């Protein structure tokens, strides 16, 4: 399978770094100077290295299917952890954050978490070896 980013691996890691930095910025935005949705912010900070690895694996010439599945499970587990932490700290912080930021806050949280899930899923789909043929 040809690499999605031909030649220089610097571009592959550059794209992965850009995605991770955008996720870190989303985490800062979700934190809201300490008065925002802290569970969501911490989840973004934990999700950034997982997403870096998922992008780097997905853009490579021969992506590892096992690694892609492990990273997809990691993204799902972090999403579940954020949901549980939000329920534990009380959803009033999330409600106040969304009231203060409106659609921008909702778009930031959606892009961060659903984008991470989409990227990890696409990386796993690209690495999927396909159906095995019987001989």
């Amino acid at each position: 399978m040809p690499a999605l980013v031909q030649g220089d691996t610097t571009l592959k890691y550059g794209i992965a770094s850009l995605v991770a930095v955008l996720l870190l910025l989303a985490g800062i935005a979700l934190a809201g100077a300490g008065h925002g949705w802290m569970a969501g912010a911490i989840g973004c900070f934990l999700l950034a290295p997982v997403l870096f690895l998922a992008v780097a694996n997905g853009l490579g010439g021969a992506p590892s299917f096992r690694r892609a599945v492990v990273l997809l499970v990691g993204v799902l587990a972090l999403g579940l952890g954020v949901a549980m932490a939000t329920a534990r700290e009380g959803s009033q912080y999330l409600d106040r954050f969304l009231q203060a930021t409106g659609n921008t806050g909702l778009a930031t949280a959606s892009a961060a978490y659903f984008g991470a899930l989409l990227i990890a899923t696409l990386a796993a789909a690209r690495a999927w070896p396909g159906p095995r043929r019987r001989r």
Side-chain angles (χ1 to χ4, degrees):
M1 177 178 289
L4 290 179
V5 178
Q6 297 293 332
D8 193 14
T9 59
T10 306
L11 184 59
K12 174 176 77 169
Y13 291 118
I15 292 170
S17 297
L18 178 66
V19 170
V21 165
L22 288 174
L23 197 61
L24 290 173
L25 289 175
I28 293 170
L30 292 175
H35 301 289
W37 181 34
M38 295 309 294
I42 292 170
C44 281
F45 297 143
L46 294 175
L47 199 57
V50 174
L51 202 56
F52 173 84
L53 293 173
V55 170
N57 183 43
L59 291 178
S64 168
F65 182 66
R66 286 184 182 152
R67 185 176 302 140
V69 169
V70 166
L71 292 170
L72 179 58
V73 169
V75 168
L76 290 170
L78 283 170
L80 179 64
V82 168
M84 290 171 52
T86 300
R88 186 171 212 181
E89 76 178 357
S91 63
Q92 70 268 16
Y93 294 106
L94 175 61
D95 292 338
R96 279 192 244 146
F97 170 76
L98 291 177
Q99 286 175 354
T101 59
N103 290 336
T104 305
L106 183 61
T108 302
S110 298
Y113 287 99
F114 290 126
L117 188 59
L118 178 67
I119 288 172
T121 302
L122 290 175
R126 184 167 187 273
W128 188 56
R132 301 191 189 245
R133 299 177 191 221
R134 294 184 182 178
R135 293 185 184 190

